[in-house]
Amino acid sequence: MQNRIDQLFAAKQHGVLNIYCTAGYPELNDTLPVMTALQQHGADLIELGMPFSDPLADGPVIQDSGTRALKNGMSVHTLFEQLAGFRERIYVPVILMGYLNPVLLYGVEAFVKKCAEAGVDGVILPDLPMAEYAAEYKTIFEQNNVHLIFLVTPETSDERIRQLDSLSRGFLYAVSSSSTTGKDKDMSHQQAYFERLQQLKLQNPVLIGFGIKDKTTFDTACRYTNGAIIGTAFIKALGEGKDIDSTVRTFIGAIKN
Amino acid sequence: MDIAIDTSKSRYHIDKNGYYGRFGGAYVPEMLFPNVDELQHKYMEVLSDPAFQQEFEALLRDYVGRPSPLYFAKRLSEKYQAKIFLKREDLNHTGAHKVNNTIGQILLAKRLGKKRIIAETGAGQHGVATATVCALMGMECVVYMGSIDIERQAPNVSRMKMLGATVVAATSGSQTLKDATNEAIRDWINNPVDTHYILGTAAGPHPYPDMVARLQSVISEEIRKQLLEKTGSELPDYVVACIGGGSNAAGAFFHYLDEEEVKLVAVEAGGKGVHSGHSAATTQLGKIGIIHASKTLLMQTEDGQITEPYSISAGLDYPGIGPMHAHLYETGRAMFLDATDDEALAAAYELCKLEGIIPAMESAHALAKLKDLPFNPDDVVVVCLSGRGDKDLNTYIRHMNK
Ligand SMILES: Cc1ncc(COP(=O)(O)O)c(C=O)c1O
């Protein structure tokens, strides 16, 4: 079967909406209900965060959601238990995002096989070095048809963007500004960077993430790339909202309207 | 000076990819890649530059007060039946070995054109040493410190503020050194262009472990010369040092790593006992993994979550150790012991009474193992007295009457 991420971008090149949520947040068993609501109300892609005790690239909102999920009892094992059979209900592509340490301890090969078995389409591990991936793990990911997605930032050189693009599968994750998640840096200065990404004519579709929080920022990102990723703003909404379904409907509605 | 010595033939130093055996590397998110890459490419060039070395040496001599004395501790020697020397890093300006590293890194930061300095601190010694060099160079300084450490190391917080630094409380997780380091790394991600991160121990992504070890290697460079003068040989039988992240130990071991007849002893914080659930004895409790962008030994749960450690000493209250030490542990080149809170306290009181020196709580962990090592009367033993105890007076007073 063709990877669902590739199917998505074959069918849709513009305005792809990827929403990040933390597994096991707000409550341990909310993972599937949140995913179901995201799919139903129009998310094209779901990025599921695996909570980690020391998430270096995350700001306070996503950190706190992870801390709460861990307190709720979330773990890599529990997540795979929750995901068993989820493909009966969820057809949009799903990506797991997390830090390398828990994956190393689980065993990279075991982890990737488990992803394939459960129907997970891609993985983002921001602290996995490119060279180590190429030398040690690329074959495992490719044999299991699980995409590894790399990040680039405004500080990444053209040459390195090309290298990351050539190793990345599914799409390339363009971090909007050099920051941790949820930092709210002004995106209006990033035009040159977004244009640079356009001009590089990369092999992968590009989604912009970090600092995308509403319709305006989403539309700005979509003007330059295939779509965008929303994390912190959605986690905030989930934390403040009452029931999951109406929170998700309102949130996505305000972005797509 | 030997800070830029060629170590490529040694099995105890980094390889060309920044690994000590299977430990080390740079597991940084892409946001930090340019910063870390710049350091990797430039640090050896800078450390090798004679002008840099001259400036570094002059500041160590005239500002820090180096060489620090190697003191023959006569009464301690009588008690433990060996020739015990104390390497007096406690007599450095600011009171610990930490300043060797901050002097080196601030000179490096200047050369890289950085305008703003950030640091993490546990005991506050590294924070004070960083605030000090920032004042000296007129640079902005932000120090991250766990809320719990802000409380237990209060005098150092005041010192940092007086020196003009901004102290930011790290309120996540265990609110100690690990979390302060997380916050410093996040700050660096958010300020990628103008900021240099002065990491305070021999941990973190390559090149920090090697860079910090080299800047601290002045400790063993001096020990060799001083021992030759005092004993007729550059080589002791034992070098003993405490380990938080491992910078004073890395400095004390550095020029002895390839002298296999010199026994290296690293002392970790046993806390309330290694298996009490309140400990920071990483080699005994840890497994390989990634902490603060380095592949090394760390304390973690079955699920790969980093565990919150415990030690009475803020500077040793860290769930990992630098990759050099993980490698020294795995190869058996160094012996790893642990000292409990109580053992360290007893050793601190003993040093006061026998030698008139109040040691830092961290350094007291190294002293605490003198009683357990199988010395011969002729053995020459060097203990790295990494810092002085002024910052720990509250803790000492609280336990004195028990
Ligand atoms: C006096 C003293 N010794 C030792 C340490 C432990 O650090 P390291 O293992 O890097 O030497 C500290 C850290 O704060 C310290 O202040």
Side-chain angles (χ1 to χ4, degrees):
Chain A
M1 191 185 93
Q2 195 188 13
N3 187 297
R4 287 179 199 84
I5 305 171
D6 301 333
Q7 288 177 26
L8 167 69
F9 285 106
K12 182 169 182 176
Q13 287 86 42
H14 301 290
V16 168
L17 174 63
N18 178 356
I19 293 199
Y20 169 94
C21 54
T22 302
Y25 176 84
E27 302 304 329
L28 181 63
N29 291 316
D30 284 343
T31 314
L32 266 284
V34 171
M35 292 167 77
T36 308
L38 283 170
Q39 167 173 285
Q40 181 175 350
H41 298 298
D44 298 303
L45 237 158
I46 297 171
E47 187 181 323
L48 201 51
M50 302 182 284
F52 181 50
S53 55
D54 297 76
L56 291 180
D58 286 306
V61 172
I62 293 185
Q63 279 176 49
D64 290 349
S65 73
T67 305
R68 173 142 171 202
L70 289 173
K71 280 209 185 103
N72 290 341
M74 185 43 77
S75 68
V76 180
H77 285 273
T78 306
L79 177 58
F80 281 128
E81 275 168 31
Q82 290 184 345
L83 290 180
F86 87 104
R87 279 296 170 204
E88 288 160 23
R89 279 196 278 160
I90 309 271
Y91 49 84
V92 298
V94 171
I95 294 162
L96 296 187
M97 184 273 164
Y99 292 82
L100 186 55
N101 193 56
V103 175
L104 277 185
L105 199 67
Y106 194 93
V108 176
E109 182 155 16
F111 178 83
V112 174
K113 288 202 160 126
K114 203 79 186 164
C115 285
E117 204 181 294
V120 168
D121 308 286
V123 176
I124 300 176
L125 296 168
D127 54 349
L128 171 60
M130 175 168 75
E132 185 154 327
Y133 171 72
E136 293 182 31
Y137 306 127
K138 185 168 175 275
T139 321
I140 299 173
F141 277 85
E142 289 184 350
Q143 277 171 355
N144 288 282
N145 194 23
V146 174
H147 287 350
L148 190 87
I149 293 138
F150 281 102
L151 272 58
V152 300
T153 83
E155 287 353 294
T156 312
S157 68
D158 285 359
E159 187 194 346
R160 189 169 162 86
I161 291 178
R162 287 196 188 288
Q163 289 172 348
L164 289 161
D165 180 48
S166 74
L167 275 177
S168 215
R169 294 282 177 275
F171 66 92
L172 193 65
Y173 191 137
V175 174
S176 66
S177 63
S178 295
S179 72
T180 46
T181 53
K183 195 68 185 172
D184 226 1
K185 280 196 184 171
D186 184 2
M187 270 202 343
S188 57
H189 303 302
Q190 304 299 18
Q191 198 173 335
Y193 161 58
F194 296 153
E195 281 169 1
R196 180 157 72 94
L197 288 173
Q198 270 182 330
Q199 282 156 9
L200 284 171
K201 305 252 175 283
L202 301 171
Q203 70 171 39
N204 281 295
V206 177
L207 298 184
I208 295 178
F210 287 40
I212 313 296
K213 56 176 188 216
D214 51 21
K215 182 164 173 58
T216 313
T217 45
F218 181 73
D219 289 348
T220 305
C222 290
R223 230 180 294 137
Y224 298 97
T225 59
N226 307 80
I229 306 162
I230 303 182
T232 299
F234 179 65
I235 295 292
K236 258 193 205 151
L238 258 190
E240 290 160 3
K242 281 193 212 68
D243 76 294
I244 290 170
D245 191 71
S246 65
T247 303
V248 174
R249 175 160 34 91
T250 312
F251 187 84
I252 295 184
I255 285 155
K256 290 201 153 176
N257 54 11
Chain B
M1 80 179 334
D2 284 342
I3 55 169
I5 196 170
D6 176 11
T7 56
S8 59
K9 297 214 166 51
S10 166
R11 52 188 286 245
Y12 301 116
H13 290 276
I14 50 165
D15 63 22
K16 62 182 193 323
N17 297 315
Y19 283 82
Y20 299 88
R22 60 187 184 127
F23 303 109
Y27 295 80
V28 291
E30 188 60 28
M31 292 75 98
L32 278 183
F33 180 83
N35 287 359
V36 168
D37 188 55
E38 178 184 36
L39 281 180
Q40 287 176 2
H41 283 96
K42 297 202 175 141
Y43 85 107
M44 278 313 289
E45 185 190 315
V46 172
L47 263 57
S48 315
D49 177 2
F52 173 89
Q53 293 191 3
Q54 243 170 35
E55 209 175 342
F56 182 53
E57 218 163 13
L59 280 171
L60 289 184
R61 184 184 63 234
D62 302 332
Y63 187 70
V64 174
R66 301 204 74 92
S68 67
L70 185 72
Y71 164 69
F72 175 64
K74 185 157 169 289
R75 296 186 67 206
L76 203 63
S77 297
E78 275 163 19
K79 166 123 198 215
Y80 293 107
Q81 291 294 301
K83 296 181 179 136
I84 299 172
F85 291 85
L86 302 178
K87 180 59 174 164
R88 300 290 308 273
E89 294 301 302
D90 61 317
L91 294 178
N92 292 341
H93 178 44
T94 70
H97 68 291
K98 297 286 183 188
V99 71
N100 305 326
N101 172 44
T102 61
I103 296 263
Q105 284 201 47
I106 198 91
L107 295 176
L108 173 87
K110 267 193 5 185
R111 263 155 227 254
L112 299 180
K114 304 291 178 177
K115 302 275 178 298
R116 178 174 173 271
I117 297 295
I118 55 171
E120 86 296 340
T121 196
Q125 287 304 125
H126 175 60
V128 167
T130 304
T132 298
V133 297
C134 287
L136 186 67
M137 299 295 169
M139 291 224 228
E140 184 189 346
C141 179
V142 179
V143 179
Y144 291 90
M145 187 169 190
S147 313
I148 289 182
D149 294 339
I150 286 182
E151 226 166 276
R152 63 178 158 174
Q153 305 282 295
N156 274 343
V157 178
S158 307
R159 290 166 79 197
M160 284 185 268
K161 289 184 177 160
M162 195 164 168
L163 290 161
T166 307
V167 180
V168 181
T171 55
S172 60
S174 51
Q175 308 181 3
T176 58
L177 182 54
K178 163 177 88 83
D179 312 284
T181 309
N182 288 344
E183 288 309 326
I185 292 175
R186 290 186 184 116
D187 180 311
W188 209 21
I189 289 176
N190 285 305
N191 297 285
V193 181
D194 66 336
T195 298
H196 175 68
Y197 176 21
I198 302 193
L199 210 159
T201 190
H206 171 59
Y208 281 103
D210 185 54
M211 178 166 74
V212 175
R214 284 176 179 280
L215 295 172
Q216 291 291 2
S217 72
V218 295
I219 299 174
S220 47
E221 191 177 334
E222 289 172 8
I223 295 174
R224 291 188 73 122
K225 286 190 198 125
Q226 292 166 321
L227 267 188
L228 180 64
E229 236 167 64
K230 288 177 201 286
T231 68
S233 165
E234 293 180 29
L235 306 185
D237 296 285
Y238 290 88
V239 180
V240 187
C242 68
I243 294 223
S247 68
N248 88 89
F253 294 170
F254 197 95
H255 290 292
Y256 291 118
L257 287 170
D258 295 315
E259 313 271 11
E260 304 263 0
E261 66 268 43
V262 178
K263 298 180 199 70
L264 306 176
V265 182
V267 185
E268 297 182 299
K272 295 181 178 162
V274 172
H275 299 293
S276 67
H278 303 279
S279 177
T282 304
T283 56
Q284 295 192 60
L285 299 169
K287 276 193 282 235
I288 189 167
I290 289 162
I291 181 168
H292 297 137
S294 176
K295 192 180 266 183
T296 187
L297 294 172
L298 64 131
M299 293 162 53
Q300 51 186 315
T301 65
E302 296 287 302
D303 184 45
Q305 308 296 336
I306 300 177
T307 313
E308 294 173 3
Y310 165 82
S311 166
I312 191 172
S313 132
L316 307 184
D317 198 351
Y318 185 67
I321 48 169
M324 173 200 271
H325 298 293
H327 181 60
L328 295 180
Y329 173 73
E330 197 165 76
T331 55
R333 175 64 189 95
M335 187 190 314
F336 279 71
L337 305 174
D338 72 277
T340 62
D341 290 359
D342 289 344
E343 287 180 298
L345 283 165
Y349 295 131
E350 180 179 86
L351 191 73
C352 295
K353 300 223 170 89
L354 289 181
E355 300 290 347
I357 299 170
I358 304 178
M361 200 68 247
E362 291 76 17
S363 324
H365 284 71
L367 295 163
K369 292 293 107 173
L370 291 173
K371 66 178 168 36
D372 298 336
L373 290 165
F375 297 136
N376 295 315
D378 288 338
D379 280 350
V380 172
V381 179
V382 176
V383 180
C384 186
L385 198 67
S386 56
R388 59 180 176 243
D390 309 30
K391 70 186 176 61
D392 297 308
L393 275 189
N394 280 340
T395 309
Y396 286 145
I397 291 164
R398 207 171 333 115
H399 287 85
M400 200 140 58
N401 306 319
K402 281 195 183 163

